Amino acid sequence: MVQQAAIDSIEVKSDEVDNEVDRRMRGMTQRAGGQERLEQFLGRSLLQYKEEIRPDVREMMVAEKMKAHITEKLNTTPQDVKDFLTGCLRTACQLSIKKLK
């Protein structure tokens, strides 16, 4: 999906990635009970860890933007899904009956 995003010129700005990494770090720090405890758990400084996860976070954000781009014009309703599945079930039942004959 990330490769297709590059083709479709879907980009994530560096400051968006920085904000997401910082948001994650704040949550992790809070759950760990402080920066020192988190660094001890990670076995490296937060700065090192942030640089380590930055490419993965960027990739995830690009994939999310691409997913949003793909689905932005879809207007599927629960009834559409129900109709589709009902049709699939009907077709499967018909095929099963034909096999029994």
Side-chain angles (χ1 to χ4, degrees):
M1 188 172 294
V2 174
Q3 291 172 344
Q4 185 62 43
I7 293 168
D8 291 345
S9 300
I10 304 289
E11 296 179 5
V12 176
K13 295 177 183 174
S14 290
D15 63 327
E16 292 175 299
V17 177
D18 291 339
N19 289 338
E20 178 61 19
V21 168
D22 288 342
R23 186 190 68 75
R24 288 177 180 215
M25 294 287 65
R26 282 191 304 274
M28 290 174 66
T29 301
Q30 185 177 11
R31 286 190 298 278
Q35 181 175 337
E36 284 184 33
R37 290 184 71 185
L38 180 57
E39 287 177 340
Q40 184 179 15
F41 175 77
L42 295 171
R44 61 185 102 6
S45 73
L46 287 188
L47 185 59
Q48 289 170 320
Y49 186 70
K50 284 168 80 169
E51 289 305 311
E52 213 174 282
I53 67 167
R54 197 171 196 288
D56 293 335
V57 170
R58 176 183 288 283
E59 188 173 309
M60 183 264 327
M61 292 177 74
V62 168
E64 285 297 317
K65 272 195 172 183
M66 185 65 193
K67 184 173 136 185
H69 175 72
I70 291 168
T71 60
E72 71 186 348
K73 294 179 183 171
L74 294 180
N75 293 317
T76 305
T77 65
Q79 186 61 46
D80 294 335
V81 174
K82 183 178 179 182
D83 293 345
F84 174 77
L85 293 175
T86 300
C88 287
L89 181 59
R90 224 178 265 126
T91 301
C93 289
Q94 290 169 350
L95 290 174
S96 295
I97 291 169
K98 285 181 182 179
K99 286 183 181 180
L100 291 174
K101 289 183 179 181

